[in-house]
Amino acid sequence: MPVKDDFARVPVPQDRRVGGFHIAMVVVGGTISIPGFLMAAAIGDGLGVAHAAAAFILGCLTLAVLGAMTAWAGVKSRFSAYMLAEFAFGRRGAAAANLAVALSLIGWFGVISNIFAQAADLLVSQTLGLSIPAEIYAVIGSLLIVGVTISGFKGIDKLALALVPLMALFLIYAAALSIGKIDGWSLPADQRTLSFSSAVSAVIGSYIAGVIIQPDYARFARNRPHAIWSAVIALGVSFPVVLLLAAIPSVAMGQSDLFLIMLGLGIGVPAFILLLLASWSSNVLCLYSAGLSVATILKRVDLRTILLAAGTAGTALAMLHAQDYLTRYLILLGIALPPIASIYASEALLFRDAFSLEALKTESAISWPAFAAWGGAVAAGYAAYSERASFTGVAALDSILAAFLIYAGLGYARRAAARRSGRAA
């Protein structure tokens, strides 16, 4: 039976918790996505396979570390990412952070739905000679996605267990067919069309929204070790392998469109099945977490209604060809969104021992230290992106580090001031 709110505003009870394997499979299903395929292809083409692999590893290790932190915060609190944001940004201030995440997730939904619709249109026209508007495929795909999502985490878990092995087999098969066609594994520096820093930022940006929403799934984990190792395995081990498998056919065929690549390899129908499954698994996560985010803002609206509205909005965006701006969008996401996760994870892991709805009622409406950290982190990330100044050479890493240092510094300063005030009293 579909759930009404799937614990959108309350802690997950003990009888609904699952092992880390289930959490990991859900996250792996989210990483095997069409935008990830496109990003991996672009990086492989711009850097060569060898340097692309290094960018995949560094970017995914960053995601794994931050994902482990946000998963820990989720299992410690048993709240979703958006409720955690309320503890960090304030009861009203969190609306800004949660809205930013929700808009990015609905944007992802639109990108993925549009690419799937175009692939479906190409396959049907080439194999059956039929011309059907791509919008129809987008609507059909969205109905499938909404149908699973309204069943809550339980339905998402079952979908991931069924689809992830199939998607992995398709990726391995395509890479095996094309690996012998690669002329060289490394590009000379003067032939690279992408900087290593931008590549790492794009990798982080490709799943940073997923890291931010990690508590949405980690809150269901049996205990802290299950939550942490599920994030590390899914993001630090599986994800770079997925990206490398997606990049190999692209470099071998000199083409960034995975569907066209697989048509060239003679496996068009399996490619379409892969795109269908990848669209389904990743868009379910986008829609579910977008719904949870909006549920913290529209507190009187039940989650199913929010999911239906978000799915409708995402389908509308699919008609606007949002994927045309994908690479720049990923880089900007890698700068603007990581600080949100860094801030609420810092609050949960450094400054808060217990979480409750009663304690949340006593929090301030707006936490200015959180917004100061967010603004400073975005500025630091943009400075690195525009090559004006950088701590690490990677914009996304700079924004993560800046958010942590600013928020932690302000938090410890507040504690010290409170202690001095208490002694003076």
Side-chain angles (χ1 to χ4, degrees), residues 112-179:
I112 296 169
S113 295
N114 182 271
I115 297 172
F116 164 74
Q118 290 184 12
D121 180 39
L122 181 62
L123 178 72
V124 172
S125 63
Q126 288 196 359
T127 58
L128 301 177
L130 297 177
S131 179
I132 300 174
E135 290 81 1
I136 293 179
Y137 298 111
V139 170
I140 293 173
S142 296
L143 290 174
L144 289 173
I145 291 160
V146 172
V148 171
T149 310
I150 61 174
S151 66
F153 179 80
K154 188 174 182 179
I156 296 171
D157 180 26
K158 290 181 178 179
L159 182 71
L161 292 175
L163 298 190
V164 167
L166 290 174
M167 293 189 291
L169 287 174
F170 280 129
L171 284 174
I172 293 169
Y173 182 52
L177 286 178
S178 55
I179 195 168

Side-chain angles (χ1 to χ4, degrees), residues 176-252:
L177 286 178
S178 55
I179 195 168
K181 302 178 186 295
I182 295 179
D183 294 328
W185 290 84
S186 182
L187 282 179
D190 59 349
Q191 293 183 22
R192 297 172 197 161
T193 59
L194 190 67
S195 71
F196 186 78
S197 171
S198 293
V200 174
S201 285
V203 172
I204 295 172
S206 72
Y207 199 72
I208 192 60
V211 166
I212 294 171
I213 65 178
Q214 190 77 11
D216 297 352
Y217 317 112
R219 66 196 174 120
F220 287 92
R222 187 168 297 148
N223 52 39
R224 185 175 68 186
H226 279 255
I228 292 175
W229 72 249
S230 66
V232 172
I233 293 297
L235 299 176
V237 179
S238 172
F239 195 22
V241 174
V242 167
L243 295 179
L244 183 59
L245 290 174
I248 287 174
S250 173
V251 174

